[in-house]
Amino acid sequence: MPQYGIQASTFEEFNRTEQTRVLIPEWMLRTWREVQTGKPFSTRSLYSTADGAAGLWERPYAEAMTARMEQQVTPAIPLSELVAITTPINAAEYRAYYLTNTDDEQLSLRRVAEGAEVPRYKLNGSDHVVNLLKYGGALEASYEMLRRQRIDKLALHVRLMAVQAEVDKVAAILDVMVNGDGNNNAPTTYALTTLDDDATAGTLTLPGWLAYKMKFANPYMLTGALAQESVALQMMLLTTGSANVPLVTVQQPSGLGAFTPINPGLRDSVALGWTSDAPAQKIVGFDRRFAIERIVDVGATITEIEQFITRQVQVLVMTEAEGYAIIDKNAINILNVNA
């Protein structure tokens, strides 16, 4: 808080004693996770033994439970926007399970005749395991440079490393969404010109976009979409055209033709993210509630400090292992704008 004359400590404060040196991995881990969660990591209690009770004459205020951060560093596309559930494991591989119907592989409840067998839903193990990949980074600096660096400045570099790790994870999730997780569960791809006969390949149209949203059959709906910048720009500039204005656009001034879609797939707004890792000229749409399972190896989150005495450098290393599986391929559909 430089406005109050309070400056951050330098890194050499960590090296004063053996007890303070062991705080380095924990400091780096908390800084890293602040980027993942978008929240500051603070464990200070509301009151400690050194605090007086709030409301007394010597302490007429209460302490905030967590510190405020004016400039929180977060990735452009948080994983929380893509992941339905996170599963912690203690292994390098994961076998996913899928819910299927014994009759027609469709999850539906049907009328059961008297005395007839009730349709069964079955959990089937995947044919191929999902491999976990390692993400992380290492920050290397000389003893002299680290000793004089303020901790808040070093934390900024650690946060930037954590942001890049989150970007790489989004790219891995996109690959799973497009190609499946190796268990014959790649999603369906729709051509724009098939959904809209009047569309030209390469140019997104409003009828094509609405028809694509309707492909998310009940109980699925389009909650998010990922695309490259050029396609995302087309999505944000969609117009109705001047020749044919939908009736719903005149309902407010005239009170005519008011429609409120029952299906939430058209009524709710779609979370749109653009990234160069998305496939060219395609929109990857998904229902966040049922699309992706995130698998985390709880034993592989490692923070290490290494010193190279002959070079007099120190390396701060943070690594973690994750994998991604499709929960239900029907929760993901792809729109090929160029076909």
Side-chain angles (χ1 to χ4, degrees), residues 217-265:
N218 188 38
Y220 312 102
M221 68 179 188
L222 181 62
T223 64
L226 297 174
Q228 291 191 1
E229 181 180 337
S230 59
V231 177
L233 187 60
Q234 289 192 52
M235 297 170 67
M236 290 185 284
L237 295 178
L238 282 174
T239 61
T240 60
S242 58
N244 185 16
V245 180
L247 185 62
V248 293
T249 61
V250 297
Q251 62 168 317
Q252 290 295 336
S254 63
L256 298 174
F259 292 106
T260 300
I262 296 177
N263 297 56

Side-chain angles (χ1 to χ4, degrees), residues 99-265:
L99 188 64
T100 59
N101 186 278
T102 54
D103 294 334
D104 55 8
E105 302 297 322
Q106 297 296 321
L107 299 180
S108 61
L109 294 179
R110 295 183 299 277
R111 179 180 177 182
V112 180
E114 184 176 354
E117 185 76 15
V118 177
R120 298 182 184 181
Y121 300 100
K122 184 179 180 181
L123 277 176
N124 293 322
S126 58
D127 296 329
H128 301 282
V129 297
V130 176
N131 294 318
L132 274 61
L133 304 177
K134 180 164 286 190
Y135 302 89
L139 179 63
E140 179 179 320
S142 65
Y143 291 170
E144 293 79 12
M145 183 179 295
L146 275 178
R147 183 169 63 88
R148 295 182 175 90
Q149 291 294 320
R150 295 198 319 271
I151 295 177
D152 59 343
K153 185 176 181 180
L154 282 174
L156 180 61
H157 293 295
V158 173
R159 291 189 181 103
L160 289 175
M161 292 162 52
V163 165
Q164 184 56 51
E166 296 298 288
V167 171
D168 295 337
K169 293 174 186 177
V170 170
I173 292 177
L174 263 169
D175 181 71
V176 172
M177 284 184 173
V178 174
N179 303 308
D181 57 18
N183 291 288
N184 192 28
N185 54 4
T188 303
T189 299
Y190 298 94
L192 174 63
T193 54
T194 302
L195 299 178
D196 181 9
D197 295 334
D198 297 328
T200 302
T203 303
L204 183 63
T205 62
L206 181 58
W209 167 248
L210 294 178
Y212 167 66
K213 293 183 70 175
M214 292 178 177
K215 292 300 180 182
F216 287 83
N218 188 38
Y220 312 102
M221 68 179 188
L222 181 62
T223 64
L226 297 174
Q228 291 191 1
E229 181 180 337
S230 59
V231 177
L233 187 60
Q234 289 192 52
M235 297 170 67
M236 290 185 284
L237 295 178
L238 282 174
T239 61
T240 60
S242 58
N244 185 16
V245 180
L247 185 62
V248 293
T249 61
V250 297
Q251 62 168 317
Q252 290 295 336
S254 63
L256 298 174
F259 292 106
T260 300
I262 296 177
N263 297 56

Side-chain angles (χ1 to χ4, degrees), residues 279-291:
Q281 294 294 306
K282 292 182 179 180
I283 300 173
V284 182
F286 56 91
D287 187 336
R288 186 182 67 177
R289 303 169 301 166
F290 308 110

Side-chain angles (χ1 to χ4, degrees), residues 8 11 26 39 73 80-81 95 108 130 148 159 173 210 214 217 232 250 267 306 319 331-332:
F11 194 80
E26 180 63 20
K39 299 177 182 178
V73 180
S80 58
E81 293 290 334
R95 183 176 297 278
S108 61
V130 176
R148 295 182 175 90
R159 291 189 181 103
I173 292 177
L210 294 178
M214 292 178 177
V250 297
R267 187 168 50 190
E306 183 72 25
T319 59
I332 305 172

Side-chain angles (χ1 to χ4, degrees), residues 70-81:
E70 296 180 357
Q71 296 180 347
Q72 178 65 36
V73 180
T74 56
I77 303 177
L79 257 66
S80 58
E81 293 290 334

